[in-house]
Amino acid sequence: MKYAHAAALLALTTPAFAQVEAEMPVAPEPAAEMSGAALGSDRSGPELRFTGADLFDISIASDVQISPDGRHIAYVRRTNDIMSDRAVSSIWLIDTGTGRETPLAGRNGDAFSPRWSPNGDQLAYASTEAGSPQLWVHWMDGGEAVRLTGLPTSPSSIAWSPDGRSIAYTMLVKDDGPKLGAAPSNKPEGAKWAAPLEIRDLLTYRADGQGYIEPGFEKIFVVPATGGAPRQLTFGRYHDGGPLSWSPNGAAIYFSANRRPNWEDDPVESEVYALDVTSGAVTQLTDRDGPDGNPVISPDGRMIAYLGFDDALRAYEDSDLYVMNRDGSGVRNLTADWDYSPAGIAWDADGRGLYAQYDISGETRVARIALDGSVRDAAKGLSGGGLDRPYTGGSFTVAADDTIAFTGGTATRPAEVQLQRGGEARMLTELNRSLRAVKSFGEVRRIATPSSHDGLEIEGWLTLPPGYVEGQRVPLILEIHGGPFAAYGPHFSTDNQLYAAAGYAVLSANPRGSTSYGEAFANEIDKAYPGNDYFDLISIVDRTIALGIADPDRLFVTGGSGGGVLTSWIVGKTNRFKAAATQKPVINWTTQALTADGSSFFGKYWIGAQPWEAPDTYWRLSPLSLVGNVETPTLVVVGSEDYRTPVSESEQYYAALRLRGVPTALVKVPGASHGGFAARPSQSAAKASAILAWFDRYKSGWNREATSEPQD
């Protein structure tokens, strides 16, 4: 998804293992992790199928950080814990020479965001060991770890100064909220009055995964690396965000922000700034209509690389990689002729190029982009964009000798730590060895077909039931990705493997609008979503039938977020599917645009007008406009604290289906946000089980005239 749009986009695709730092929970009471496989049963042998209980036995690698000399890798291991029913984070250290792993932090609380000091003798990280997230430093030679801070809110965007003496970070500085009048002043001692009024004046006053936003602004701080009082460096009524990049002499920190007076109304805008660490003076270095962000200073301090694009008021834009002189002059676009979107940029140690992560045809790679604009691949096979569904993603870092550490897995293996040091990449971890030794996972195959709409090639990945026999026809689940500006690929997915274990083939397709196929492909749905992507999905379903795999009389459809939009759209267009499950959908673009946590974004960028300016367009693109056609039993699933595609969207659709007499049920995931829809393993497993049960109930379809009950 477009980096500059991530805060406001409908995607609605934040994976279960990718919660942001600010959402890290307070540490639970210390307890040994318990495996789901250790609970016992009456079985005479191991269960070979992948089941919901197995979600508690899965670990995944993330946030890999290679030391400057390339000798060690610190990474975050996220493991589902059956006692707390959540993923717990710990930091592990790998010796890249021997492959030896040792735990470093996370025994008594979550530990995350490891960052090496410039000479590699210390590792900073955040941890909830003290109760709330705080900044810690671990001394590598003596093995001691010290808490540096006692902060009121969580630190993020940790960045060491070049001399290793200071650490910069960002943190929310709380502010007083708006006030209007006052309650009576004569409250008797011991009286129990109602809670005070809640007054909001922000355009976006609640955020998915965060809830109702506390008044305040994100600001930049610096703290001595040996401990001491933090010093606030930036001020003002706007957010100053990371990532942060120090100049080589330690005199300046580069960051990006939207410091304009109308920052609330312009969700895409940002500029690159230079912050004088001594005086606190802030100098704006870029100036255009569009986002400029992720600044990274070159090793010699002469140039700044950053990402951005010109704002054309489209729902999607590829980012470009720019370099400029450190005073903001001499701007050059290095990727103007490269039809992909770089992210996670890092300078080569020699200063002659940069490394960047990008997606291509559903896969994630690392490229080296030279200052002359030439591009070559440096690593392939990245993964880690999620766990429940097969999204692109992952992370990487680069050592001084160009060794690359990254997270990478396969379609049947969650993300591990891998090392690319010339030649083939080497996998350094086996986080799910025991599970993989016992369980049979479904094979994943690439398929492609021309769209019936215009011949555009549509790519997808088909997960087959374990032990699939060639030529056998099996029921098919079309599972549609969210975003819609995102992409599926050959990556591990718990949902797909659970469906496959139940005997279904699962189709993960990338219709027009998906990323990783170029900017034009993504913008095929600009101001026209949903629309012709419907034909893409039906075409690739027909391809699975033509291949002799899918049973044309046993078709089912589901998808979340943007995939929920298209699921609801599909059942309004065709009765080919026996049953459907729409998950956290948008049903009515008018209510979505005015109640979601992106009110400044949806109308302006996705529809091209506000609801009162183009009501007919809003209705024409709303799945609710087609509900009168629906004859497919449709389950509706949503998180009870979803503020991205609010609960009211699902409730509208459920009520409409009930009023029409179409079989339906409303499933709410208690406490779940949009991005945290599958964050709790028990809920993720139960959700998949509910969808499978719904499909089984209506495996023979439903006929309004014949019966109102499911057929056997």
Side-chain angles (χ1 to χ4, degrees):
M1 191 160 291
K2 204 66 220 163
Y3 86 92
H5 293 187
L9 277 184
L10 171 61
L12 328 177
T13 55
T14 307
F17 269 106
Q19 304 302 301
V20 296
E21 294 169 359
E23 295 175 43
M24 292 302 300
V26 174
E29 288 298 316
E33 295 171 14
M34 184 178 291
S35 166
L39 301 182
S41 75
D42 295 326
R43 296 192 303 268
S44 59
E47 170 61 77
L48 301 181
R49 295 181 310 129
F50 185 66
T51 70
D54 294 323
L55 268 62
F56 289 107
D57 292 326
I58 291 180
S59 296
I60 189 170
S62 65
D63 199 4
V64 290
Q65 299 290 323
I66 193 166
S67 61
D69 61 9
R71 294 174 56 195
H72 295 92
I73 295 171
Y75 76 97
V76 176
R77 181 187 295 187
R78 305 208 67 191
T79 301
N80 283 334
D81 174 48
I82 198 169
M83 299 306 292
S84 60
D85 192 19
R86 69 177 186 89
V88 295
S89 297
S90 57
I91 296 173
W92 287 69
L93 192 69
I94 304 175
D95 185 309
T96 60
T98 65
R100 182 172 180 266
E101 280 196 76
T102 54
L104 191 141
R107 295 178 182 85
N108 299 306
D110 285 295
F112 49 100
S113 299
R115 296 296 181 267
W116 290 100
S117 63
N119 62 7
D121 63 347
Q122 295 165 276
L123 187 76
Y125 61 93
S127 174
T128 61
E129 182 172 335
S132 62
Q134 299 297 331
L135 190 60
W136 292 66
V137 170
H138 183 97
W139 272 259
M140 303 306 296
D141 54 359
E144 292 294 326
V146 175
R147 187 181 66 150
L148 293 189
T149 61
L151 305 175
T153 58
S154 179
S156 57
S157 302
I158 299 168
W160 285 85
S161 65
D163 61 7
R165 298 180 60 190
S166 302
I167 300 173
Y169 60 92
T170 62
M171 185 186 73
L172 177 70
V173 178
K174 295 184 180 181
D175 203 354
D176 292 331
K179 293 181 172 59
L180 285 172
S185 59
N186 61 335
K187 181 179 179 180
E189 184 177 352
K192 296 181 179 179
W193 286 16
L197 302 181
E198 295 182 6
I199 302 172
R200 313 284 176 184
D201 63 358
L202 293 173
L203 176 58
T204 300
Y205 58 89
R206 59 184 183 181
D208 190 67
Q210 182 178 348
Y212 285 82
I213 295 174
E214 287 188 277
F217 296 92
E218 200 82 6
K219 293 299 168 187
I220 299 172
F221 290 77
V222 66
V223 64
T226 54
R231 179 164 63 97
Q232 184 174 340
L233 299 182
T234 61
F235 302 86
R237 298 184 63 79
Y238 24 70
H239 297 284
D240 297 325
L244 307 176
S245 181
W246 287 80
S247 63
N249 63 6
I253 294 174
Y254 300 94
F255 69 99
S256 64
N258 183 350
R259 288 181 147 228
R260 298 184 181 185
N262 70 334
W263 63 268
E264 285 191 78
D265 303 321
D266 195 344
V268 170
E269 183 62 36
S270 64
E271 306 294 349
V272 173
Y273 293 88
L275 166 66
D276 186 297
V277 176
T278 301
S279 69
V282 175
T283 303
Q284 183 174 327
L285 299 180
T286 61
D287 183 14
R288 68 160 160 189
D289 185 9
D292 292 319
N294 298 79
V296 184
I297 190 75
S298 63
D300 62 7
R302 293 175 52 248
M303 291 183 289
I304 299 170
Y306 61 98
L307 301 173
F309 57 84
D310 293 319
D311 184 4
L313 297 179
R314 298 190 297 185
Y316 178 83
E317 302 287 346
D318 271 344
S319 294
D320 277 311
L321 173 59
Y322 295 84
V323 293
M324 64 181 174
N325 298 326
R326 67 183 176 206
D327 63 358
S329 65
V331 174
R332 289 191 294 133
N333 185 349
L334 302 184
T335 55
D337 299 322
W338 193 53
D339 201 16
Y340 299 100
S341 193
I345 56 175
W347 280 92
D348 193 326
D350 62 14
R352 297 178 181 177
L354 295 106
Y355 292 93
Q357 183 173 315
Y358 75 103
D359 291 343
I360 176 172
S361 298
E363 300 187 36
T364 304
R365 301 177 181 177
V366 176
R368 185 187 183 277
I369 304 171
L371 294 181
D372 64 4
S374 60
V375 180
R376 65 170 174 83
D377 281 338
K380 299 180 181 181
L382 276 71
S383 65
L387 192 65
D388 58 324
R389 291 178 288 166
Y391 283 110
T392 59
S395 65
F396 80 98
T397 51
V398 186
D401 64 355
D402 294 325
T403 299
I404 300 173
F406 64 93
T407 58
T410 69
T412 56
R413 185 171 184 172
E416 308 272 8
V417 177
Q418 296 198 42
L419 188 74
Q420 182 86 44
R421 181 177 278 155
E424 292 296 317
R426 181 161 55 101
M427 200 167 286
L428 300 182
T429 57
E430 291 186 89
L431 300 182
N432 300 286
R433 179 174 54 187
S434 297
L435 192 69
R436 292 174 58 245
V438 174
K439 299 296 176 178
S440 296
F441 293 108
E443 175 193 352
V444 178
R445 298 179 183 177
R446 177 191 177 274
I447 65 170
T449 193
S451 172
S452 64
H453 174 66
D454 56 7
L456 194 65
E457 183 176 76
I458 304 302
E459 191 174 33
W461 283 265
L462 190 63
T463 304
L464 300 172
Y468 173 76
V469 177
E470 210 65 46
Q472 177 187 9
R473 288 198 181 272
V474 295
L476 176 78
I477 296 175
L478 170 62
E479 207 285 326
I480 310 169
H481 71 64
F485 304 105
Y488 279 160
H491 312 291
F492 185 79
S493 161
T494 54
D495 274 6
N496 286 7
Q497 291 295 340
L498 287 171
Y499 299 152
Y504 293 85
V506 187
L507 176 58
S508 303
N510 285 336
R512 68 191 67 212
S514 301
T515 55
S516 78
Y517 300 94
E519 193 171 79
F521 187 92
N523 276 311
E524 282 281 332
I525 64 170
D526 183 46
K527 312 300 184 291
Y529 169 71
N532 294 330
D533 36 8
Y534 164 79
F535 300 104
D536 303 341
L537 293 167
I538 296 300
S539 296
I540 202 165
V541 167
D542 287 340
R543 178 60 179 159
T544 66
I545 296 171
L547 289 171
I549 297 173
D551 185 337
D553 295 322
R554 291 185 291 170
L555 302 178
F556 303 86
V557 60
T558 188
S561 191
V565 173
L566 285 168
T567 297
S568 304
W569 191 259
I570 284 171
V571 297
K573 290 280 190 177
T574 181
N575 297 331
R576 288 183 63 183
F577 295 88
K578 295 298 184 183
T582 181
Q583 304 177 55
K584 49 184 180 179
V586 174
I587 293 303
N588 182 337
W589 282 109
T590 295
T591 51
Q592 168 71 16
L594 298 177
T595 62
D597 62 353
S599 294
S600 62
F601 182 83
F602 288 110
K604 182 178 180 180
Y605 288 91
W606 280 28
I607 309 296
Q610 298 300 343
W612 52 91
E613 297 169 337
D616 292 344
T617 301
Y618 273 76
W619 182 247
R620 175 173 53 83
L621 296 174
S622 295
L624 190 59
S625 70
L626 301 179
V627 74
N629 302 333
V630 177
E631 296 294 329
T632 304
T634 302
L635 187 69
V636 183
V637 189
V638 68
S640 67
E641 295 182 16
D642 190 329
Y643 296 131
R644 183 61 47 80
T645 55
V647 179
S648 57
E649 294 297 307
S650 293
E651 291 172 335
Q652 287 180 72
Y653 200 54
Y654 168 71
L657 292 170
R658 283 298 310 269
L659 289 171
R660 288 211 58 252
V662 176
T664 187
L666 178 64
V667 175
K668 288 190 178 181
V669 183
S673 64
H674 192 95
F677 194 49
R680 309 300 291 268
S682 70
Q683 292 179 337
S684 183
K687 175 184 70 70
S689 178
I691 291 171
L692 287 170
W694 185 259
F695 290 169
D696 184 66
R697 175 181 294 183
Y698 293 100
K699 60 181 180 292
S700 300
W702 173 77
N703 188 306
R704 180 186 294 272
E705 296 179 359
T707 177
S708 59
E709 296 297 323
Q711 299 177 358
D712 295 322

